[in-house]
Amino acid sequence: MAIYLGFDLGTQGLAAIAIEVDGSRRRVVFERALDFDAAFPRYGTDHGVLPREGPLVADSSPLMWAEALERMMQILGTESGLDLAQVRAVAGSAQQHGSVYLNATAADTLAGLDPAQPLARQLAGVFTRKVAPIWMDSSTSRQCRAITQELGGAEAVARLTGSRAFERFTGPQIRKFFEHDPASYRRTETIHLVSSYLASLLAGKRAPIEPGDGAGMTLMDIGRKAWSPAALEATAPELADRLPPLADSWAMVGELSPYWMRRYGFPAAAVVAWSGDNPCSLVGTGLVTEGSIAISLGTSDTLFAPMAEPRTDPSLDGSVFGSPTGGYMGLVCFKNGSLARERVRDEHGMNWDAFSRALRGTRPGNRGALMLPWFEAEITPPVAQPGVRRYGLDAADGPANVRAVVEAQMMALANHSQWMGVRAREIRATGGAAANRDILQVMADVHGAEVRPLEVGNSACLGAALRARHADEWRQGRRLPWSEVVAGFVVPEEPAIRPAPDRAALYAEMREVYATAEAHALGRGPAPDDALARFRTKYGTGR
Ligand code: XUL
């Protein structure tokens, strides 16, 4: 019997899953989640984000993440009831794009952690920047423009790196740090992604960056999965010296450092390179061959699909990342995910049950009432100034706003993923809101596809544990097919949520109206009034 651990450090908390594999017997033997705001109040985070310096700025605390990692290791070591001696390998998933800046003392500190002291206390002196900018930050438009210009335009950047330069991507964030605080940049020895930072804490040494997550930096040549000298040059001076190397997704970083063994009784289990939450989710939703898609409804809403070759989005709204299975994945990301749903819920004094009742009690198509749900600056499509737009929608009508936000999110997911060219008959649904079958019904209807939530809801965390197993087999010379790795763990819930056939035509038309409204709001097209009027004439009355 072997145990594999997977961690997932998300925007709002840290989760861990342990899986047990014994021949054909496979099961999840431990699952736990810690919420940053509730568990670590002294950092003063709100949904995992430090008090914001402006509407476009979003930072978190790398020290808080270390504290959370230690708390989870303590739970695993002292409360989980797991036979730790069986733990063979550990891997992780982390929110993408965020960066952590370490000084020259970090290497010695990590290598010599004192098992008698808490981790965070020992790390206090290793940062050149106390905060880590995270994926919700959109304050780097200027840096994106500069990098894009130096690399020969947005298409050229997308061809080279898999995506245009996005504000949240690490390269523009590094450039901003260098511009604002060159002295601290110069004192920075290593710039980690959240994923490689946490792997380093476990292994007690500098961990490599994995190409799935490395693709979200505007620094990696996507075709070669190697740092692009041109992109590094366009970002900040002597950046190559400050980045960890790139390594295969199944690379071993090392073993759990003596700190974890002595302090909590872990064995010398292998530490596998950590990846991003979306790449890990690709594994945890079982998307190991082309032609299938998953939608994750979390702090961000994302839609992703495996790809054999990197095909970039002609509209440049989507991204191509590496897949931890070795190929590539297409992704579209929306910032107005769960926090937008929560805003609508809270504005109308509802709980999630009432939110669900509102969905059940309103008509598909919302009688032609529409919302552009840009509570926050949006990534897809790029919206720099936050602002919700309502068309024929009374802001005081709770149920109609609930339907409007969910329909808008589902239509945006469907419309902006067309470039991937996948006509999936089935969508795997994951993330917190995938537990809500009323939301998933709207997903099924808008996409015209069956939707299957999975038994293990945190697919990023499960994906990390499965990656730990895959890498452990790999290092022993066994090349397990990914279909075999995920078998028995990625189990779709029954019954599937089926699209109602009579809603297909309605949503096909409504998606066009939505696209018209979106284009108009972005200053790219005519007002949607005529399109909305036609839609309402057809679908706006009756029950
Ligand atoms: C993906 C992205 C988000 C974060 C959130 O590009 O920005 O999905 O990974 O965890």
Side-chain angles (χ1 to χ4, degrees):
M1 182 192 68
I3 293 179
Y4 301 98
L5 293 181
F7 291 92
D8 173 43
L9 189 122
T11 314
Q12 305 192 42
L14 172 71
I17 281 180
I19 59 171
E20 190 181 89
V21 181
D22 189 5
S24 60
R25 218 173 68 131
R26 284 123 200 261
R27 55 193 186 119
V28 173
V29 286
F30 171 85
E31 201 171 349
R32 183 71 71 87
L34 294 171
D35 177 81
F36 295 140
D37 299 356
F40 307 100
R42 77 182 176 89
Y43 292 92
T45 54
D46 177 11
H47 293 87
V49 184
L50 289 169
R52 297 176 79 160
E53 282 175 15
L56 302 183
V57 176
D59 296 319
S60 191
S61 164
L63 206 57
M64 176 182 76
W65 295 336
E67 213 175 307
L69 182 68
E70 166 149 35
R71 179 82 57 87
M72 192 60 90
M73 290 297 269
Q74 179 189 12
I75 292 170
L76 283 159
T78 60
E79 300 172 18
S80 67
L82 291 175
D83 178 3
L84 289 191
Q86 305 304 325
V87 176
R88 298 190 54 99
V90 180
S93 139
Q95 52 172 299
Q96 298 196 247
H97 317 296
S99 42
V100 177
Y101 299 75
L102 302 182
N103 63 27
T105 70
D108 284 350
T109 304
L110 286 183
L113 289 171
D114 174 2
Q117 306 283 336
L119 177 65
R121 192 180 300 163
Q122 300 182 68
L123 294 183
V126 305
F127 303 102
T128 57
R129 188 177 183 180
K130 277 216 167 69
V131 301
I134 62 164
W135 68 276
M136 292 171 83
D137 188 284
S138 41
S139 68
T140 62
S141 298
R142 214 165 49 75
Q143 288 76 16
C144 287
R145 277 195 297 276
I147 293 171
T148 304
Q149 200 180 354
E150 284 180 45
L151 288 175
E155 281 84 12
V157 179
R159 262 196 316 277
L160 177 66
T161 68
S163 315
R164 69 177 170 86
F166 283 100
E167 281 77 357
R168 70 191 191 285
F169 277 33
T170 326
Q173 295 290 342
I174 293 173
R175 183 172 172 130
K176 180 179 159 195
F177 180 54
F178 165 69
E179 287 174 359
H180 289 208
D181 190 355
S184 299
Y185 177 82
R186 299 225 181 268
R187 284 192 298 109
T188 303
E189 189 179 71
T190 304
I191 302 176
H192 274 298
L193 283 178
V194 185
S195 54
S196 60
Y197 165 63
L198 289 153
S200 304
L201 296 185
L202 287 180
K205 64 177 188 192
R206 176 157 118 160
I209 287 181
E210 174 278 341
D213 214 14
M217 300 174 80
T218 326
L219 296 175
M220 192 184 88
D221 177 332
I222 188 80
R224 294 191 303 119
K225 296 189 178 171
W227 296 130
S228 155
L232 267 55
E233 181 73 14
T235 301
E238 288 139 36
L239 184 49
D241 302 341
R242 292 175 167 79
L243 293 175
L246 284 158
D248 286 335
S249 297
W250 41 90
M252 293 294 160
V253 180
E255 290 177 345
L256 279 176
S257 83
Y259 178 78
W260 304 111
M261 300 201 258
R262 300 215 186 100
R263 193 161 163 88
Y264 298 113
F266 281 87
V271 177
V272 178
W274 284 41
S275 181
D277 49 5
N278 293 292
C280 286
S281 225
L282 194 79
V283 175
T285 51
L287 300 193
V288 293
T289 51
E290 219 174 336
S292 42
I293 65 172
I295 292 180
S296 170
L297 301 176
T299 312
S300 60
D301 285 351
T302 57
L303 181 152
F304 47 86
M307 269 181 188
E309 293 301 327
R311 278 180 279 115
T312 46
D313 175 6
S315 79
L316 303 180
D317 284 341
S319 289
V320 179
F321 295 155
S323 158
T325 59
Y328 295 91
M329 64 186 283
L331 174 128
V332 279
C333 177
F334 298 83
K335 204 194 302 192
N336 287 284
S338 71
L339 301 187
R341 288 183 286 276
E342 264 178 58
R343 281 279 283 276
V344 173
R345 183 199 65 178
D346 295 346
E347 271 168 18
H348 299 284
M350 297 181 182
N351 57 20
W352 288 121
D353 279 346
F355 192 94
S356 280
R357 274 199 306 282
L359 282 177
R360 289 197 298 274
T362 45
R363 284 180 49 193
N366 220 5
R367 299 175 181 272
L370 209 66
M371 178 194 282
L372 297 177
W374 299 332
F375 292 87
E376 289 262 353
E378 183 49 76
I379 295 167
T380 316
V383 178
Q385 290 307 320
V388 174
R389 323 245 170 159
R390 293 182 175 81
Y391 301 85
L393 178 64
D394 175 358
D397 182 342
N401 278 271
V402 166
R403 176 159 285 280
V405 72
V406 176
E407 285 186 339
Q409 291 174 323
M410 296 307 153
M411 289 190 287
L413 280 158
N415 288 354
H416 289 285
S417 56
Q418 292 304 301
W419 63 276
M420 292 184 207
V422 186
R423 269 296 302 147
R425 290 184 44 239
E426 178 192 302
I427 298 171
R428 304 244 156 134
T430 178
N436 184 322
R437 293 179 80 91
D438 297 299
I439 293 179
L440 298 190
Q441 185 63 56
V442 183
M443 184 188 286
D445 291 341
V446 170
H447 286 260
E450 282 190 4
V451 172
R452 286 178 184 272
L454 300 160
E455 274 179 10
V456 178
N458 186 341
S459 57
C461 200
L462 176 64
L466 294 171
R467 290 183 51 243
R469 160 140 200 256
H470 168 263
D472 184 53
E473 299 281 356
W474 184 277
R475 79 169 166 158
Q476 294 170 70
R478 288 192 291 275
R479 308 286 188 255
L480 285 193
W482 280 99
S483 52
E484 152 63 19
V485 175
V486 303
F489 284 114
V490 180
V491 184
E493 275 180 11
E494 295 293 344
I497 293 121
R498 300 212 154 73
D502 57 338
R503 294 176 193 164
L506 177 151
Y507 279 119
E509 278 186 48
M510 196 177 186
R511 279 173 52 183
E512 282 181 29
V513 180
Y514 186 83
T516 308
E518 204 181 72
H520 176 249
L522 297 170
R524 295 182 192 154
D529 307 12
D530 291 350
L532 269 165
R534 277 195 302 278
F535 182 79
R536 281 189 200 123
T537 310
K538 216 157 155 189
Y539 298 106
T541 52
R543 280 238 40 102

